[in-house]
Every structure is written in C-alpha cells, then in structure tokens.
Amino acid sequence: MRAQIVAVTMPKWGMEMREGEVVAWHAAVGDPVAAGADLVDVETSKIVNTVVAPVSGVLRAIVAEPGETLPVGALLGVIAPADVAEEEIRAFVARTAASGIPDAAGGEGAPDDAHRPAPGPEPETAPPAAVQGADAPPPSAAGGEVSAGDGEVAASPVARRLARRYGLVLAGLSGTGRHGRISKADVEAALRARGVALPEPPPRRPGLPRRRGDEAAVAATPVARRLARKLGVSLLDCRPSGARGRVCKADVEAAAARAGIGLAAPGAPAPAATAEKTPMGEPLRGMRRTIAARLQAAKREAPHFRVAVAVELDHLLALKRDLEARLPEARLSLNDCIVKAVGAALVRVPEVNVRFEEERLVRLAEADVAVAVALPDGLVTPVVRSVQAKGLVALADELRDLVTRARLGTLKPEETQGGGFTVSNLGMYGVDRFDAIINPPQGAILAVGAAKRRPVVRGDDLAVATVAEFTLSCDHRVIDGAVAARFLDALRGFLEHPATMLG
Amino acid sequence: MADFDLAVVGGGPAGYVAAIRAAQLGFRTALVEEAQLGGICLNWGCIPTKALLSAADALDGARRAGRFGIAAAPDLCLAEAVAHSRRIAERLRRGVAALLEKNGVELIEGRGRLAGKGRLEVATATGPRRLSVDHLVLATGARPRALPGVVPDGVHIWTAREAMTPQAVPESLLVVGAGAIGAEFASFYADLGTRVTLVEVADRILPGEDREISALVRRAFTARGIEVRTGVGVVEASVAGEQVVATLSDQSRVSAERLLLAVGVQGNVEDLGLEGVGAKVERGFLVADAWGRTNVAGLYGVGDLVGPPWLAHKASRQGILCVERIAGVAPQAPLDLGRIPACTYCRPQVASLGLTEERARAGGRAVRVGRARLAGNGKALAAGEEEGLAKLVFDAASGELLGAHLVGPEVTELISALAVAAALEGTEEALSRAVLPHPTLSEWWGEAVLDALGRPIHH
C-alpha cells in the first residue's frame, strides 16, 4: 500500500537551486491528477516554473501552501490512489516532513547538508512590535544568525509559516505535536503569550456534523467535488443522483441547503483579505533574496582581488560599424563584441575559466560566458555557451534573444546556469569604472565601464582615443594575480586589435 | 538599455495587436502611428464597408419583403448610411486607443522611419523623436495599387476610400478589378440603383475563389443587372466633363460617371528607411519569414506590408506570432496560410478557406469533393433564400479538410465552423458525426460533408 503513496517534492532545477517558493497549485486536494500534468508552480530566484505530477492518482494532500518557501527536496504534496486511507496519507506526511527530507527524491548530486544554507529563517516579514518587545531575540537585519537554527527545529509547515509571519523564533518553543514537533497551536499559544492578537478562525459552519470518512472514495462529478469543497459540504452527506451513482452539483447544493449553508450569489465580492501589510519594510522575495544571499556569501567566502586596465576601443568600434554596414543581419552592441573577446581570452588563459564548487576547482573546457542583465527588480545572468565557437553575428543574435527573454522572465532554468565567468557592463549608464562581486561558484567577473573619448599618450605625444576601463574581480582561492593580469592583457589585445581574434 | 524593448510602426490590425500582445508579455512597448489607429481595416476597409453593405442588405430585404406579405417602399438616405459607417469606425478607433492604454502601450503619434538598426526616428507634431529599440516590428500596411494610365483623382476616379464616402449615388460606375473589394462595391452600388460595369482582367470574377463559386456569383450579379466583363483589362482612363471614359484591352470603350480602381494593393515600403539597413523588398513588399523576421537583425514585418493574403485576421495573427516568437512563448507553430478563411460580403456572400478543387487536384492529390445546394435547406427557404452552394474538398487518403468554399446567405459566419474543423484537423468522418441543429443554415454544409462521403440524405 505504502508504495503507492508518492511524495511531490521541491524540485532541483539546476545545480544552483537551493529553495523555491510555492506560487500556486493547479489542483486541489481530492482532484485526480495525471502523470505529467501541471501540478504546482514554483518560483525560484530566477524563474517561475511548473512541477508536473510524477504519477497519476489523486492529489491527497497539499503540504506547502502558496507563499511558502522550502528547500530543494521538501515535501510539497502527496499523490496516492483514491483508495488509500486518509490515515495512511497523514502518517506519510508526518513521517516525511519529520524526517527533514532533503533530497528525499534522491537524484542529482545534491550537496550534503553542511553546504546547504539553512532553509528556515527567511526575513519574510518584519515582526510586530509586540513580539520584538518580548523575550524572543529580535530578528536582526542581517537575517542570518538569529533564526539560523530554525531550519533544524521540527515544526509543521503551517507552524513555520505562522512563525515567520510574526517573526517568531521557533527554536525556543517546545513542541506538542507528533514526535514533539511544534504545531500551529504551539506557535499560536506562544504568540498569544507575547500579547499578539491573532485573527479569529472563521466561525464553524452550522448544520449537520460533518461525517468522517474518505471523501475521495465518493464518486462525484468534478463540479460537485469542487463545489463541495467550496461550501464545506462532505460528499458523504450528498445523495448521489447522477449517472452510475455519481454525486452531481444539484446533490451538493441540496446537502448544503439541508445543512443551512447559504450559497454565495454568483459575483458576490469575496471578503477582503486580512491585511498582512508590514509597516516596517517588505520581505525580500525570490530573485532579490537570492541576490542578497549569494552575493553576501560571495563577499564573505571568496577572497576578491581586482585588477584593472584601460583599453582603446577605436579599432573594435570600426570593425563593428563595418560589419553592421555590410551585413544586414549584423546588429552588434559593443557588449556583444566584448563578450566575444572575453571568449577568446578565456581560451587563451584557461586558468581564469574555472568554478570553485564544493571546495573543488573545476576547469571548464568551453568559454561559457554569463552576461548580467538588469531588471526592474534585480538582475539575472543568462549564459552564452561556447562563445569561442561562435561568429560575432550569431553571438549578437543569441545575446539579444537572451536579454529579451531575461527581461520578460521567460528564460529556461538551464539558460542561467553554468559558466565560470560573468560580464557586467554599466557603460551604458555612463559609469567610468566599477568593480563587481563574483557570482559564485564562478571564478571571476569583468566590470566594464563606459567607452569615452579620452587623452592617451602615444610615444611622447598626446592623442585622443575611445577608451573604456575594464576591472576584473577574481576569487583568489582559484585565480592568482599574475593569471588575472595575463587574462586582462590577452583581453586588451583582442579588444584593441580585433583581427587577432581570427587567428 | 534601449528606450523600448519593442516598438511597432503602424497601428492597424497587425500593429496594434502585436503591440498589445507585446505589452502583455512584459515588453516595454511603443506603437507609432502617423494617422488613425485601426489602420485601413477599421477606418477605410473591412468595418466601414460592412456598415454600408449592411445598409444595402437591409434595403434589399425590405424590397423583397413582399413574399412575407410586407408591403414596403424603402428609401435609402445615402448621407445617413455613410454617417453610420463613419460613426462605427470612430467608435472602434476609440476602442483601440483604450485597449492600448489599458495594456500600457505608449502611443507615439507621427511618422516612424528607421534611422539605422535598432533606431527609429518619429516625426511628431512637436518635432523629431529618436528612439532606440531592441526589436522593431513594421506593420505599415498597404495601399491601393494604381494602374498605368488610370490615376485616381479622388473625384471621378476613385479608390475604395472615396467609394465608401460618396456624396451622391452615381448614375453609373465602372469597377476595375473583381476581387473582394471590387465585388463588394459592385454589389453595394447595384443595390443603390447605380448602373454597374465590373471589369476583371482574369477569366472570371473573384479569381481567387473556386470556379464554381465564381460562376455562381457571376450569375447572381448578372441577374441583378451588373454588367460583368472578364478577360479584359483597362488600358487607360480619362475624364471628360462629368464622365470617365475608359479604354479596355479589347479596344472597346466604357464610359461611366465614376470609375473605382480595385486591382489589388502594394506594400507601404517607401520612406521607411529600409534601404539604409539593407532590408530586402520584393515586388513591393517587405520580405519576412513565417515568424515575421526580415533579413535585418532585430527587424520584423507583419500584415499587408509583407504580402498576401491581405486580410486583417491574417495580419493580427502574424503580429501575435511574431511577438510571441521573440518572447520565447511556447508552444509555437508558424501560420498555416491554408487555414485562413477569407470572406467577401457582396450579395451573395462568399467565404472560403484552403485549396480550391482545381488547385488541390493540380497538386496531384486524390481528393474527395462534397457539394450541397442551398435549395434543399429548410431554414434558407423559410427566409426566402435559395441560391447557394457549399463545396468541401477533402484529402481522400487522410480525410483532412483541404478546402471549404461557400456562396450564399450568411456564409461569412458559417465558414468559422469549418475553420475550427480545419484547425482541429477534423476528418470528413469526424465532421459527419457532429450533430448540427435543425433548422439552420449549418445543415447545408453538413450535407456537403455527407456528399463527400457518398451518402447524402437530402439530394
């Protein structure tokens, strides 16, 4: 029997995904689902994607409600045949949730837990003053340490979410739930003890006591099933009148009428959601949170050093103009040309084309270059593959497509993964020079300033040239200063004499 | 970063739809229009002509109401009919403006011109405005094609625009070109009492339609007093006093109070800056692939500008497909020109999609053709209509609906069912299993399906 119960878990879309936020379920508890059908939308730092049902069956439990952020491998829901008893499902959920899951689904080389950031303590909302004033330590702005332990505390998902909403630290509470798990009631009690006024639960519906039993086993039309759930009517209370003994919409309505449950008039406005606005700031969500976490980690863990060079770009700009004038299909930005030169330099100095992953140095054979794309609320870094093997026109086309889809949020997960090197160009904003933070586990990032007409010295004479400043940030654990200098020298050579890229 | 992720030049059915879809997908979108939103379709094409033809149909219905025992002597006020037509166009134009605003498309009024790859210069009322755009979609449409020797003057020698805003009903009208536009105006003016001559250089009117359909329309036109001449072109036309005198290719002369030139359209490719970026133009149209991509990076073309069929619904779909392709929306399939319906709103109406019987056979296919006459249809007879033909062409091997050709009342609505059938790749067997309601005109094409299967019931 147990083998038929299948866990739906937080997927791992690519090496860098650590957690995801449940956005919306496509099915409700009790709905039949087909293997491969869209089941639940999950937002990662980079995209919203859809988890499909791993098997056919009935969605028996939803563990992760929309809005919850959970680590990879965490239990989201349960699919099982309709005839599996409710108790078994509950036991399965309790067992799976309590076991802490990570990577229960097994599979693609999940790193061991030591390297996993604690999944718990998202700075989702600032706590109300009532809690802050109480004995619980106030969550720090940095987020990290205070709740770092919460991920390891056994707590139900609802309890976790409730605690997060009110900024309550779970570690201090004692659990009364199954296996000593902290339950929703425990959190509510703790909050009330701290003087938090919790919203009252909705009043129970009057009428017939709901029968206990397995509703999923009742034959019913999809409309009837959905309506019953909406009205809080048990299908077991309905007298089936449909073909082959199915419960129909009319049967549910009749049962609701017997129980005195009013049918909402169609189009009646939904009750206003209780305001959950925080006066003290907004939670970091999705992409923003990932940027914060990753770059914080990069800054903390990767010893950065920077080397910079000024590069004359007149030859490159002439080549760009010439190509554009002669080939209708050529539409090039300066950045396209820079990415092409970076590809060539990565081949020339492969020691820079590395990743530092799980304490291991990974040397990359292909010049896969990530390009930072600014978005209204963050940035994303799609990766152009095998830059060394592509012509400039094809590379520009690909970059334009990637940048367009990055802005629209329609990149595929794999398009933002991999590579050892990122190009970040703020030249279009007129920035003279800046330095960038490495995007781990990559080894280096190039910060490109604006190309401007500047005085240069040739021999003993002054001349005017178009010059841009390039600053390379490297992770010193895997790239040394001399290597970085050689890379910049190669890059400058390709940029100043673009014909050499053909060699 | 560019000023706009995507800009569209031209606010007709290709352009405004593309812009709205782009904005919905998250593009920062601009729409550049130099004249009226809605383009030809909404202002000077599909919509206003349908308003006029509805007036003509109402007039004809009243005239023929005697069979129902209704005595009526209808009198059409031309100015009022034209005013109605203009009001509808205006109303829809405001609707388009509201849709653009609701979707967050920035409307830039002025003429847009390419100033290099990814650069657009718009001549606005307040001076030139330069924009950088990542993706530029051209949807500047088409205009009536002129004939050498026949130059529209806006008074005696008309294009469709003058024909839909007449000051008075001309006593006589020479319509040059018997495609959809020519046939519609011939029908309209015949209803108003104008003596109409319809001249077509091909060997039949509505030359794009199935031969049997063309023949039936010609019979109906002739019965209504329209003089139809095929296989002759117009060599030259000149204005003499209040008459236009046209010399035809057989050296005969036709004189009429007005001449309407309706010999097709040519793309608005001029003064767009296409030469500057090396965009390919062939036979007066911008060259674009099934996704609207031109040979220039980041430049796209949709709608009438990129060639036939010159249909608003084709244009809109091209606009959507082009933008969705850029955005990477899945799943995508290129436009199947064989599944685009075309409608002509003359009386009798004509609607068709896909291959004619002739063309299907010429392609070497084994086909199965089903026909049904309208005369066997109860609903039509009750409404006093009996002229009509439904003709369906199926692939004999696969059962695929290759073509559907209808002439008769309301066929411009009936064709949608067959367009859906074609889109869903329904076979003749599948169509025969659909239960069609009685009494309806739809039973008529249902009978044609049965005929294709060799088991007609009603004839």
Side-chain angles (χ1 to χ4, degrees):
Chain A
M1 242 359 207
R2 189 171 300 159
Q4 298 174 319
I5 306 178
V6 176
V8 179
T9 56
M10 180 63 72
K12 186 167 175 64
W13 287 316
M15 293 300 290
E16 289 154 24
M17 177 170 167
R18 303 253 183 253
E19 59 179 21
E21 175 176 337
V22 174
V23 177
W25 285 86
H26 291 275
V29 172
D31 286 352
V33 293
D38 289 354
L39 189 60
V40 54
D41 291 340
V42 168
E43 181 179 357
T44 72
S45 55
K46 289 165 176 162
I47 48 154
V48 177
N49 213 333
T50 304
V51 178
V52 298
V55 295
S56 294
V58 172
L59 181 61
R60 297 295 300 273
I62 288 179
V63 178
E65 296 290 341
E68 285 194 55
T69 298
L70 294 164
V72 167
L75 185 66
L76 304 180
V78 178
I79 296 176
D83 55 8
V84 173
E86 196 62 36
E87 287 69 31
E88 278 199 67
I89 300 290
R90 276 198 291 271
F92 178 85
V93 170
R95 201 166 51 239
T96 316
S99 68
I101 303 172
D103 308 305
E108 35 177 342
D112 46 333
D113 282 356
H115 301 298
R116 182 189 306 282
E122 309 74 356
E124 205 166 82
T125 47
V131 177
Q132 239 176 11
D135 55 352
S140 79
E145 294 88 291
V146 170
S147 34
D150 273 9
E152 278 90 61
V153 176
S156 76
V158 173
R160 227 178 258 291
R161 185 149 69 121
L162 196 60
R164 212 157 47 222
R165 181 170 303 157
Y166 288 92
L168 182 71
V169 176
L170 289 174
L173 304 185
S174 52
T176 64
R178 195 177 288 109
H179 306 300
R181 212 161 65 134
I182 296 168
S183 68
K184 178 185 169 200
D186 297 332
V187 173
E188 286 177 342
L191 288 171
R192 288 209 183 82
R194 286 160 170 79
V196 176
L198 293 170
E200 287 302 308
R204 285 187 67 111
R205 285 248 158 82
L208 299 174
R210 285 185 53 167
R211 270 191 231 175
R212 290 169 183 281
D214 187 359
E215 284 190 54
V218 177
T221 67
V223 170
R225 211 174 277 285
R226 197 194 292 185
L227 188 63
R229 221 168 22 246
K230 196 148 248 157
L231 295 175
V233 171
S234 168
L235 289 172
L236 295 161
D237 293 329
C238 301
R239 293 171 196 147
S241 70
R244 285 161 305 175
R246 287 204 302 179
V247 172
C248 300
K249 176 184 160 199
D251 306 330
V252 175
E253 288 172 346
R258 284 198 300 278
I261 297 170
L263 299 175
T274 24
E276 284 181 23
K277 290 201 189 100
T278 54
M280 299 168 63
E282 57 179 309
L284 295 184
R285 294 187 64 238
M287 175 188 302
R288 192 77 255 156
R289 190 157 78 202
T290 299
I291 293 170
R294 292 170 67 96
L295 297 186
Q296 169 85 65
K299 198 80 177 164
R300 194 170 52 226
E301 288 161 18
H304 285 57
F305 72 91
R306 294 156 201 95
V307 286
V309 67
V311 179
E312 291 186 29
L313 294 173
D314 294 293
H315 287 150
L316 190 70
L317 290 168
L319 172 125
K320 168 180 172 304
R321 276 194 300 273
D322 196 39
L323 269 178
E324 287 196 312
R326 287 171 192 283
L327 300 177
E329 67 272 26
R331 183 166 149 208
L332 313 171
S333 68
L334 180 57
N335 202 49
D336 298 333
C337 304
I338 291 169
V339 170
K340 179 65 192 160
V342 163
L346 286 173
V347 171
R348 178 71 59 85
V349 187
E351 297 95 316
V352 173
N353 195 15
V354 296
R355 289 162 72 86
F356 188 57
E357 248 172 319
E358 315 298 344
E359 300 297 318
R360 293 161 62 89
L361 170 66
V362 180
R363 295 180 194 280
L364 304 177
E366 300 287 308
D368 295 348
V369 178
V371 177
V373 178
L375 305 178
D377 53 353
L379 81 159
V380 66
T381 53
V383 179
V384 200
R385 310 284 166 193
S386 309
V387 170
Q388 83 284 354
K390 286 175 179 153
L392 194 44
V393 172
L395 178 69
D397 280 350
E398 194 177 330
L399 266 169
R400 189 166 48 247
D401 173 52
L402 286 172
V403 169
T404 293
R405 290 189 295 111
R407 295 225 185 93
L408 300 182
T410 54
L411 289 174
K412 299 185 200 76
E414 62 270 22
E415 289 175 314
T416 60
Q417 285 158 6
F421 194 97
T422 296
V423 174
S424 177
N425 189 338
L426 294 182
M428 60 284 261
Y429 300 102
V431 166
D432 284 333
R433 80 192 70 81
F434 69 108
D435 65 76
I437 299 176
I438 296 162
N439 185 19
Q442 296 183 342
I445 185 167
L446 183 70
V448 182
K452 292 182 178 171
R453 300 289 284 166
R454 292 181 204 278
V456 294
V457 176
R458 293 203 210 291
D460 286 333
D461 296 324
L462 265 181
V464 177
T466 308
V467 177
E469 292 193 40
F470 290 68
T471 308
L472 183 69
S473 302
C474 297
D475 182 343
H476 214 328
R477 294 173 300 181
V478 287
I479 298 171
D480 294 327
V483 170
R486 268 199 291 131
F487 175 85
L488 270 195
D489 189 52
L491 180 65
R492 180 175 54 189
F494 288 130
L495 290 168
E496 293 194 340
H497 306 284
T500 57
M501 280 190 260
L502 298 174
Chain B
M1 201 192 296
D3 298 328
F4 291 97
D5 298 325
L6 189 144
V8 182
V9 180
Y16 86 75
V17 169
I20 288 174
R21 186 70 189 116
Q24 288 171 347
L25 288 167
F27 288 98
R28 293 173 301 129
T29 307
L31 176 65
V32 179
E33 168 59 50
E34 67 169 332
Q36 291 165 316
L37 285 175
I40 295 295
C41 160
L42 206 153
N43 297 288
W44 300 105
C46 320
I47 299 300
T49 56
K50 259 69 287 167
L52 294 177
L53 288 159
S54 294
D57 281 342
L59 186 65
D60 175 68
R63 282 176 183 153
R64 296 194 294 136
R67 71 211 133 140
F68 301 122
I70 300 171
D75 183 25
L76 178 94
C77 170
L78 182 64
E80 197 42 55
V82 171
H84 164 71
S85 162
R86 300 321 305 162
R87 273 197 304 273
I88 298 306
E90 168 62 26
R91 180 165 157 190
L92 288 173
R93 190 161 64 230
R94 280 201 306 270
V96 171
L99 285 174
L100 291 171
E101 191 178 346
K102 174 186 148 197
N103 285 283
V105 175
E106 182 172 337
L107 177 63
I108 301 174
E109 290 176 280
R111 182 173 178 88
R113 196 176 181 288
L114 273 162
K117 289 171 190 168
R119 290 203 301 282
L120 189 64
E121 186 169 304
V122 186
T124 70
T126 55
R129 182 168 164 194
R130 286 185 183 78
L131 308 172
S132 62
V133 298
D134 283 343
H135 303 274
L136 181 60
V137 181
L138 296 179
T140 54
R143 62 182 184 280
R145 195 162 69 87
L147 278 183
V150 186
V151 182
D153 62 6
V155 181
H156 297 93
I157 300 182
W158 286 352
T159 64
R161 189 180 287 229
E162 292 82 31
M164 73 187 76
T165 50
Q167 306 289 315
V169 179
E171 177 274 322
S172 55
L173 175 69
L174 172 60
V175 179
V176 181
I181 295 173
E184 287 185 0
F185 279 112
S187 179
F188 173 70
Y189 279 99
D191 276 340
L192 299 194
T194 301
R195 188 169 51 79
V196 175
T197 305
L198 179 59
V199 174
E200 167 59 47
V201 71
D203 65 348
R204 57 202 172 96
I205 63 169
L206 296 175
E209 300 292 344
D210 191 274
R211 275 187 185 279
E212 284 183 86
I213 304 289
S214 286
L216 207 146
V217 176
R218 179 173 191 156
R219 255 201 327 276
F221 273 17
T222 305
R224 289 173 56 196
I226 299 172
E227 187 186 346
V228 178
R229 300 183 61 179
T230 52
V232 283
V234 173
V235 178
E236 186 247 356
S238 56
V239 179
E242 272 307 298
Q243 291 285 308
V244 183
V245 181
T247 308
L248 306 191
S249 54
D250 62 359
Q251 301 310 315
S252 63
R253 287 178 171 228
V254 177
S255 68
E257 212 177 290
R258 297 287 184 268
L259 182 151
L260 168 61
L261 193 58
V263 293
V265 300
Q266 60 190 101
N268 291 325
V269 294
E270 298 84 359
D271 194 29
L272 281 177
L274 293 177
E275 312 74 25
V277 294
K280 207 181 286 177
V281 173
E282 275 173 15
R283 280 173 298 185
F285 295 97
L286 180 63
V287 178
D289 70 6
W291 303 108
R293 291 179 297 199
T294 70
N295 65 316
V296 178
L299 185 71
Y300 310 80
V302 291
D304 285 356
L305 174 68
V306 298
W310 300 295
L311 297 167
H313 43 283
K314 180 216 73 166
S316 298
R317 185 56 61 91
Q318 276 183 328
I320 290 173
L321 284 174
C322 173
V323 165
E324 291 191 344
R325 174 79 176 192
I326 296 169
V329 173
Q332 305 159 337
L335 197 58
D336 182 349
L337 294 179
R339 289 175 181 167
I340 298 177
C343 296
T344 306
Y345 294 76
C346 55
R347 197 172 62 255
Q349 290 185 355
V350 176
S352 63
L353 65 86
L355 299 176
T356 62
E357 179 182 358
E358 199 176 12
R359 248 176 275 156
R361 288 191 194 281
R365 287 174 191 263
V367 297
R368 193 178 268 181
V369 177
R371 282 185 191 72
R373 294 267 162 202
L374 183 63
N377 181 279
K379 172 83 180 301
L381 293 179
E385 303 278 357
E386 47 190 295
E387 277 298 309
L389 173 67
K391 184 171 174 182
L392 304 179
V393 182
F394 294 98
D395 184 88
S398 68
E400 181 189 356
L401 179 61
L402 298 175
H405 308 277
L406 309 177
V407 54
E410 304 300 334
V411 296
T412 53
E413 294 296 333
L414 296 181
I415 194 71
S416 292
L418 295 159
V420 171
L424 300 179
E425 296 191 348
T427 62
E428 77 283 63
E429 276 295 341
L431 280 172
S432 77
R433 283 198 293 272
V435 180
L436 301 173
H438 176 79
T440 59
L441 292 175
S442 298
E443 293 174 286
W444 169 32
W445 63 255
E447 194 67 25
V449 174
L450 293 179
D451 185 52
L453 289 166
R455 43 178 210 247
I457 298 292
H458 293 95
H459 64 277

